[in-house]
Amino acid sequence: MLRVGLTGGVACGKSTVAHMLAARGARLIDADQIARELLRPGEPTYYKVVSHFGPGIVDIAGAIDRAKLAELAFSGGRVQELNEIVHPAVIARQEEWMRGVAAENPRAVVIVEAALILEAGVGKRFDKLIVVTCRPEQRSERFAARQGVDLAEAREEVERRMQAQWPDERKVAAADYVIDNSGPVEQTEQRVAEIFAELKRLAEARAAAEPQSTRRNTEENES
């Protein structure tokens, strides 16, 4: 199995690339979706976050209001506090999922889509890292369209969120593959196809080598 991290800045098109990879046969998990599940009432992480940030982030139904939590974390300079609570639980859930995939298909290419792979210091958990980029102004335009807000508000929010992330230049320097998502979707599709073909070859090669490695380790242990 090949473990691949997929990351990039706010509104760069990570999810678009993730779905393109999944359409080609990659197994995909979204760190943000895991976080949503972990923050549901009844989950241990839910109680840790509410205890730490206070009942003001809980709505009338007892659920965490993610907008209020984001406002408190990003505007209040408390992103690191939130990450220290949520990230370990997200990583544990990812590892559990990947073990299940490996048992089911040792030749799988697994993709973990997450915004803060590098910032959280977990890049080494992956065999390969894909970074998605786009032009700065596109982030605001895409965010505005996605959230249904005007461009000025989107620009302000993107800038605020990017303060908690590495700049593209630093991410690119750490990447094994870079996908520039600034152009036509066909261009992105072509780059995704090229990268996935290589990832698939690497996964196949690793799966073929693992039985030999296992036998060699067994023989060495017995001797």
Side-chain angles (χ1 to χ4, degrees):
M1 183 185 76
L2 195 72
R3 300 154 63 108
V4 181
L6 174 64
T7 192
V10 177
C12 64
K14 291 186 301 297
S15 295
T16 297
V17 169
H19 290 124
M20 289 178 181
L21 288 162
R24 286 168 170 78
R27 298 291 300 273
L28 174 66
I29 192 168
D30 181 354
D32 189 56
Q33 181 58 39
I34 296 175
R36 288 177 182 273
E37 294 169 2
L38 292 171
L39 291 176
R40 289 173 181 167
E43 291 283 345
T45 305
Y46 167 90
Y47 294 112
K48 290 179 182 179
V49 169
V50 173
S51 175
H52 189 81
F53 287 94
I57 64 170
V58 178
D59 65 21
I60 193 170
I64 289 177
D65 186 321
R66 287 173 60 88
K68 287 183 179 179
L69 179 59
E71 176 70 22
L72 190 60
F74 287 101
S75 294
R78 304 180 67 184
V79 175
Q80 185 61 31
E81 296 174 35
L82 179 61
N83 290 343
E84 287 174 357
I85 298 171
V86 177
H87 281 175
V90 170
I91 291 168
R93 187 69 61 86
Q94 288 172 1
E95 292 292 330
E96 179 184 6
W97 173 77
M98 285 191 281
R99 285 194 295 271
V101 173
E104 177 187 326
N105 179 12
R107 291 175 167 75
V109 174
V110 299
I111 308 288
V112 175
E113 178 192 348
L116 300 177
I117 288 175
L118 292 167
E119 293 84 348
V122 297
K124 292 183 179 180
R125 291 178 176 271
F126 300 98
D127 302 306
K128 296 294 179 181
L129 184 67
I130 301 171
V131 168
V132 183
T133 67
C134 71
R135 294 192 302 274
E137 186 60 21
Q138 285 179 309
R139 298 185 193 280
S140 301
E141 293 168 355
R142 291 170 177 174
F143 189 88
R146 187 174 72 194
Q147 299 296 326
V149 298
D150 63 41
L151 189 57
E153 183 179 348
R155 191 177 291 116
E156 181 179 346
E157 181 63 18
V158 167
E159 183 177 343
R160 183 180 70 161
R161 296 192 181 196
M162 285 299 294
Q163 290 176 358
Q165 298 187 12
W166 288 9
D168 277 358
E169 295 79 7
R170 192 175 178 188
K171 284 188 170 75
V172 166
D176 295 291
Y177 307 98
V178 177
I179 298 176
D180 183 351
N181 192 36
S182 300
V185 67
E186 294 80 9
Q187 180 178 310
T188 301
E189 285 269 14
Q190 181 178 352
R191 180 62 175 148
V192 168
E194 293 168 355
I195 291 172
F196 184 72
E198 182 170 340
L199 295 176
K200 191 64 178 173
R201 286 195 296 271
L202 291 172
E204 293 283 351
R206 169 165 292 191
E210 280 177 352
Q212 297 176 11
S213 175
T214 301
R215 285 197 298 271
R216 184 165 55 251
N217 289 339
T218 301
E219 290 170 359
E220 289 174 355
N221 290 335
E222 289 176 349
S223 63

